[in-house]
Amino acid sequence: GDSVTQMEGPVTLSEEAFLTINCTYTATGYPSLFWYVQYPGEGLQLLLKATKADDKGSNKGFEATYRKETTSFHLEKGSVQVSDSAVYFCALINTGTASKLTFGTGTRLQVTL
Amino acid sequence: GAVVSQHPSRVICKSGTSVKIECRSLDFQATTMFWYRQFPKKSLMLMATSNEGSKATYEQGVEKDKFLINHASLTLSTLTVTSAHPEDSSFYICSAYPGQGRTEAFFGQGTRLTVV
């Protein structure tokens, strides 16, 4: 079945540091890939998405590129802020699964001054 | 557009009572909604798929008699936790898809259930 693997957290960075959160996936067909962010006590918000190979999703300074050859969708940001502290979830939808999202385990990011 | 509203955001109930959580799509119709449960510092576990006008589809290991789902209209799905116990305490989140070519799901704000 489909699966998403994320790097273990927590990730602790100083403000303005470079961020990478690794995400790899296993899926049949051609899934769409997503990053969702969850701030403390809240639901999930879509951060960015990519629907086909080599697409780059970007939003609020975050970027991720759909790499089919490495089955990866790593999240990057050049300079993190304290307000980026949250849990980040990598996820996929496979068109054959009735729109069920398959989530990774989530990576907690803590940014300090 | 594509707003999903979940209510209540927090609820505390006594053991043995039932709690209803509502999930509404505010600006689109959703024939399918999804209910997730999130344990502390864990990922989201899909509980069930809510289908408008028909029975919900439950994931393996989820008790359908305990977690009652009703999707009575194209904009409302409800999750009722029946005879709640402390181990049901968790964060419950719903999601829905606006369709119309959009592949991303939109999530409610979540409901923190505490059973005492």
Side-chain angles (χ1 to χ4, degrees):
Chain A
D2 299 340
S3 67
V4 176
T5 302
Q6 277 181 252
M7 60 188 291
E8 289 281 336
V11 174
T12 303
L13 294 173
S14 298
E15 201 170 45
E16 299 183 1
F18 184 86
L19 168 71
T20 300
I21 300 178
N22 290 338
C23 171
T24 57
Y25 68 90
T26 301
T28 57
Y30 302 94
S32 294
L33 303 174
F34 307 86
W35 278 100
Y36 282 88
V37 58
Q38 184 179 33
Y39 298 101
E42 298 184 10
L44 273 69
Q45 300 174 27
L46 178 67
L47 182 59
L48 53 83
K49 69 174 184 178
T51 57
K52 62 182 186 296
D54 299 325
D55 269 2
K56 177 186 283 189
S58 61
N59 185 26
K60 299 181 181 179
F62 291 89
E63 293 183 340
T65 301
Y66 189 144
R67 301 284 189 201
K68 190 167 177 62
E69 64 275 15
T70 55
T71 60
S72 65
F73 194 54
H74 305 321
L75 182 68
E76 297 182 336
K77 187 174 185 181
S79 176
V80 293
Q81 305 299 313
V82 172
S83 57
D84 293 327
S85 298
V87 180
Y88 293 81
F89 291 94
C90 185
L92 70 82
I93 289 177
N94 204 324
T95 53
T97 56
S99 301
K100 279 185 194 179
L101 272 167
T102 299
F103 283 96
T105 52
T107 301
R108 182 174 299 277
L109 171 65
Q110 182 77 39
V111 180
T112 59
L113 289 171
Chain B
V3 178
V4 176
S5 177
Q6 194 173 333
H7 178 80
S9 58
R10 290 179 178 272
V11 59
I12 301 173
C13 70
K14 293 184 178 180
S15 289
T17 62
S18 295
V19 173
K20 180 185 285 187
I21 302 169
E22 292 186 347
C23 180
R24 293 181 185 273
S25 56
L26 297 186
D27 50 4
F28 65 96
Q29 295 182 333
T31 55
T32 304
M33 292 185 177
F34 297 87
W35 286 97
Y36 294 85
R37 181 174 179 177
Q38 186 178 29
F39 295 94
K41 299 184 180 181
K42 297 287 185 182
S43 189
L44 288 85
M45 179 191 78
L46 178 65
M47 298 175 65
T49 303
S50 173
N51 305 299
E52 188 268 336
S54 64
K55 291 182 179 180
T57 305
Y58 290 83
E59 295 300 303
Q60 192 172 9
V62 177
E63 298 177 62
K64 58 183 67 175
D65 293 333
K66 179 161 191 63
F67 298 100
L68 300 179
I69 292 172
N70 186 358
H71 195 150
S73 78
L74 286 169
T75 59
L76 173 64
S77 174
T78 60
L79 168 68
T80 301
V81 182
T82 62
S83 187
H85 289 104
E87 56 265 32
D88 298 325
S89 298
S90 195
F91 194 61
Y92 294 87
I93 311 176
C94 68
S95 74
Y97 289 83
Q100 299 176 334
R102 303 175 76 171
T103 56
E104 65 269 32
F106 290 83
F107 287 80
Q109 306 94 317
T111 298
R112 170 71 60 192
L113 170 64
T114 303
V115 184
V116 297

